[in-house]
Amino acid sequence: MKQLYDVLIVGGGVVGSAIAREMSRYSLKIGVLEKNLDVCCETSGRNSGVVHGGFAYDTGSLKAKLCLEGNKIMGQLARELDFAFDRCGKVLVGNTPEDMETLERTMKQGAANGVTTLELVDKKRLHELVPAVNGEFAMYSPDSGIVDPFHYTIALAENACANGVDYFSDHEVTDIKRDEEGHYVMTVSGKEFHTRWVVNSAGLGCGKISELLGLKGYKIIGSKGDYIILDKRTGPLLPMPVYPVPSNTYMGIHVTNTTDGNVIVGPNADLTDNFTYYGVSSENMDYLAKSASDLWPCIHKSDYIRNYSGILPKWVDENGTIQDFKIEIQDETAPCAINLIGIESPGLTAAVPIARYAISLMAEREKLTENPSFNPIRKGIDRFAELSMEEQDSKISENPDYGEVICRCEKVTKAEILQAIHNPLGVDTMTGIKYRTRSMMGRCQGGYCQMRIAQLLEEELGKKESQIQYSRKGSFMFYGKVRQEVE
């Protein structure tokens, strides 16, 4: 007998998982079909981790409205879902009369969008806020902040899962049809899923899923941004993100502090039609460092520990002009299908308001009954390194695995690794452990702990070494043993 879902969500990134979590407030049978092996492998995990203030988007746009809403509730979400968030502020730094004119226009746009805390600051005040910055003046946004995008996405997904949502990783949708009852039939690797409602929250794949739903004509382009990650010793020199004065469509290469104490340099913005290539060239790294050093002259190659890139799905019109978020239901063409197009920045900030907006469209078409057992609280993995000595002693007394450090750089214990291995979503990749614990994210980038974590995955999950994958499907780390015991 076929299983019928009330809602199937295509894409388990930050927006898809926010929709799953918010929909689980209602008595609905919900599933999430995620093509990757984890929920933050693409745009949701490959960004600057900035919580935007809402001043940079056209007045009246969904981007402006939902970004501001997301900014306001981020603190409450962090408390409910136990992820790192710091409302540290942000500055946009200028030097010329033209820069001042742009910042004044940005201030007016911010006020029109409902942002009430923006202020222009002089050189003295700017250097009080960020002593190491180069600049004559700035616009200061005290309500902007930073978030751990991995933990935020994972927290939303785990809370949704705890509230009854089914997550299916490695489930790429290849076909969508409707049966004689009007239900959607979604094909994944020859397997069929049946549902009354579909939500297209596929991020970089939103155009493809929209086409499968019969909603045609959306042109999606990729904007690829490269980043450099700096060692934590640079963190104290950057108390908040520092941006240049923005252009109409691009915020510019900036430097951003992270909730873990590192500094991120970037991104640039290169158009691409390849949504799976994340390589970073040495030329681009040199360009990032040179450009960002004009703002913040603390960038040295000796502090580079890693690079990465991310791709934003931008919806453009026939002239190539970037469009607003599209969140729609086209009742005549695809009834009971919520279509999300071009959810790029500020999608991380706006994820939960986007979810609530999407659900409001659904609620206009059918009555939703509240789920009496919904629990908004999720507890993450305690970070042993951040506990007091007394708390650490107590943890070790309760569980000796807290006394064994697996990742020396980030001081991650065996107990934390084991909790990550047995995560509620069933993710069993190396980066799945990395994103949940910060192991392999320190100075040595896994040189010490990576093999130990792989061994724990083998032992805990009964896997062979040849089954351990790093991140993406097919990213097998080992082909076998170097040495084999002879009986």
Side-chain angles (χ1 to χ4, degrees):
M1 182 177 177
K2 71 180 182 183
Q3 184 179 46
L4 179 65
Y5 281 88
D6 292 309
V7 185
L8 281 175
I9 300 165
V10 184
V14 68
V15 173
S17 288
I19 293 171
R21 189 247 188 178
E22 293 301 305
M23 279 192 171
S24 70
R25 294 177 181 273
Y26 304 97
S27 296
L28 298 166
K29 183 168 181 56
I30 305 163
V32 177
L33 302 175
E34 168 55 50
K35 72 175 183 180
N36 292 297
L37 304 182
D38 201 353
V39 293
C40 46
C41 291
E42 294 185 352
T43 308
S44 298
R46 294 174 170 272
N47 54 71
S48 300
V50 172
V51 174
H52 294 292
F55 53 80
Y57 312 103
D58 291 343
T59 300
S61 66
L62 280 179
K63 289 181 179 179
K65 177 179 183 292
L66 301 179
C67 178
L68 183 59
E69 290 178 14
N71 179 289
K72 289 179 177 179
I73 66 173
M74 193 61 73
Q76 176 189 345
L77 290 171
R79 290 187 294 273
E80 289 179 349
L81 298 173
D82 195 20
F83 61 86
F85 164 62
D86 181 8
R87 200 177 293 279
C88 57
K90 176 170 78 175
V91 288
L92 277 61
V93 178
N95 292 284
T96 68
E98 292 77 17
D99 287 344
M100 178 59 79
E101 290 177 8
T102 300
L103 291 181
E104 288 173 343
R105 288 197 301 272
T106 303
M107 292 273 292
K108 290 178 181 177
Q109 179 171 271
N113 290 352
V115 184
T116 60
T117 57
L118 302 177
E119 59 178 299
L120 287 172
V121 297
D122 60 16
K123 187 173 184 178
K124 180 176 182 295
R125 175 62 174 145
L126 171 60
H127 288 156
E128 290 173 354
L129 293 168
V130 189
V133 75
N134 285 335
E136 295 299 315
F137 49 84
M139 188 192 80
Y140 174 43
S141 170
D143 285 339
S144 296
I146 53 175
V147 68
D148 183 325
F150 302 114
H151 280 185
Y152 180 30
T153 305
I154 290 165
L156 288 165
E158 289 188 352
N159 188 235
C161 183
N163 282 295
V165 176
D166 296 331
Y167 268 77
F168 301 93
S169 61
D170 191 16
H171 275 61
E172 183 173 5
V173 175
T174 56
D175 191 30
I176 302 176
K177 289 184 168 42
R178 297 182 71 200
D179 62 20
E180 63 280 0
E181 298 175 83
H183 299 147
Y184 287 95
V185 182
M186 310 177 73
T187 303
V188 179
S189 300
K191 181 179 179 182
E192 291 185 345
F193 286 79
H194 299 257
T195 182
R196 295 193 303 111
W197 282 82
V198 173
V199 179
N200 173 15
S201 184
L204 290 168
C206 67
K208 171 190 168 185
I209 300 301
S210 185
E211 290 276 332
L212 291 177
L213 286 167
L215 304 172
K216 302 181 183 297
Y218 292 110
K219 182 180 180 182
I220 306 299
I221 63 171
S223 178
K224 181 174 179 285
D226 300 332
Y227 298 85
I228 305 167
I229 304 176
L230 303 183
D231 188 88
K232 282 186 175 181
R233 67 186 181 187
T234 63
L237 300 173
L238 191 73
M240 67 182 67
V242 173
Y243 283 61
V245 173
S247 69
N248 289 333
T249 59
Y250 174 47
M251 292 300 290
I253 293 170
H254 46 273
V255 286
T256 306
N257 54 324
T258 73
T259 57
D260 295 298
N262 298 93
V263 170
I264 298 171
V265 180
N268 54 346
D270 295 331
L271 296 182
T272 181
D273 57 5
N274 186 340
F275 292 174
T276 61
Y277 177 70
Y278 293 105
V280 180
S281 69
S282 59
E283 291 82 7
N284 279 5
M285 291 178 67
D286 291 342
Y287 172 68
L288 291 174
K290 183 178 184 301
S291 299
S293 292
D294 293 338
L295 276 176
W296 189 69
C298 305
I299 301 169
H300 307 287
K301 284 190 175 181
S302 59
D303 290 320
Y304 294 9
I305 64 171
R306 195 175 183 88
N307 60 57
Y308 70 100
S309 67
I311 304 172
L312 297 174
K314 293 181 179 285
W315 170 35
V316 296
D317 65 12
E318 62 276 7
N319 299 315
T321 303
I322 298 169
Q323 302 297 295
D324 193 11
F325 293 159
K326 171 68 78 172
I327 307 171
E328 63 174 359
I329 298 175
Q330 293 190 25
D331 292 303
E332 292 185 4
T333 305
C336 299
I338 306 174
N339 199 34
L340 285 77
I341 297 292
I343 308 298
E344 50 146 339
S345 182
L348 186 72
T349 306
V352 170
I354 289 171
R356 292 173 179 172
Y357 184 93
I359 294 168
S360 73
L361 299 182
M362 182 181 181
E364 291 173 1
R365 290 159 173 83
E366 72 172 59
K367 179 176 174 56
L368 299 178
T369 304
E370 288 191 6
N371 174 8
S373 61
F374 174 79
N375 181 5
I377 306 302
R378 170 261 186 188
K379 183 71 177 72
I381 299 172
D382 286 332
R383 290 193 175 181
F384 184 80
E386 297 176 359
L387 302 177
S388 67
M389 288 291 291
E390 292 76 13
E391 289 171 325
Q392 290 180 346
D393 287 342
S394 176
K395 287 281 189 185
I396 293 171
S397 296
E398 294 171 5
N399 182 355
D401 286 337
Y402 278 106
E404 182 179 346
V405 174
I406 300 294
C407 173
R408 289 182 175 179
C409 296
E410 296 296 318
K411 299 179 177 59
V412 181
T413 66
K414 182 178 180 181
E416 294 163 83
I417 299 294
L418 292 178
Q419 289 177 68
I421 288 173
H422 297 288
N423 65 85
L425 302 181
V427 176
D428 58 3
T429 60
M430 294 293 287
T431 54
I433 309 307
K434 176 180 180 178
Y435 297 154
R436 287 160 175 78
T437 64
R438 276 198 61 80
S439 56
M440 301 177 280
M441 284 192 176
R443 181 78 196 190
C444 82
Q445 289 291 294
Y448 176 78
C449 64
Q450 186 168 266
M451 294 302 101
R452 290 164 176 79
I453 293 169
Q455 184 177 5
L456 286 171
L457 277 167
E458 292 175 41
E459 294 171 354
E460 291 295 313
L461 302 180
K463 287 180 172 287
K464 296 179 180 179
E465 68 279 352
S466 57
Q467 295 175 310
I468 302 297
Q469 299 186 77
Y470 184 73
S471 182
R472 291 198 255 182
K473 186 176 181 179
S475 59
F476 295 102
M477 295 184 63
F478 313 107
Y479 287 98
K481 296 183 181 297
V482 176
R483 290 180 291 184
Q484 198 82 28
E485 289 186 21
V486 178
E487 295 181 1

